[in-house]
Amino acid sequence: LATDMGYDYHGAPTAQDLYDPMKSMYYGAAFLHWLSTWKGQARNERWIVQSYNGGAGADSGAVRNYYAKFAQVKNQLQMMGVC
């Protein structure tokens, strides 16, 4: 991802890099961006969230449950006017 998509500000990530909050956020955001247009096709929120958790195109019971939790929290934040 870092090389193919040009997200190389911090170089190719190592496992240790993911414990660095700034690098972890950078690579997490890069991965979300990459997923949002996976294979040149715009993807919806559900597909992106499930894929972030389980890999591109994942659609198992576990990732559907993960998305349901995400949607519940998002709804609560919207009701509070946070997003």
Side-chain angles (χ1 to χ4, degrees), residues 32-68:
L32 286 170
H33 181 261
W34 181 77
L35 287 171
S36 72
T37 57
W38 190 64
K39 291 194 172 185
Q41 186 176 18
R43 305 296 174 156
N44 65 32
E45 179 180 88
R46 181 183 192 110
W47 192 95
I48 295 167
V49 172
Q50 287 185 184
S51 294
Y52 186 87
N53 180 255
D59 190 24
S60 67
V63 295
R64 287 191 296 272
N65 187 44
Y66 181 82
Y67 179 77

Side-chain angles (χ1 to χ4, degrees), residues 6-30:
Y7 295 106
D8 55 5
Y9 181 80
H10 295 287
T14 65
Q16 188 62 34
D17 285 337
L18 300 180
Y19 292 101
D20 177 315
M22 195 64 107
K23 290 179 182 179
S24 183
M25 291 295 293
Y26 174 82
Y27 289 115

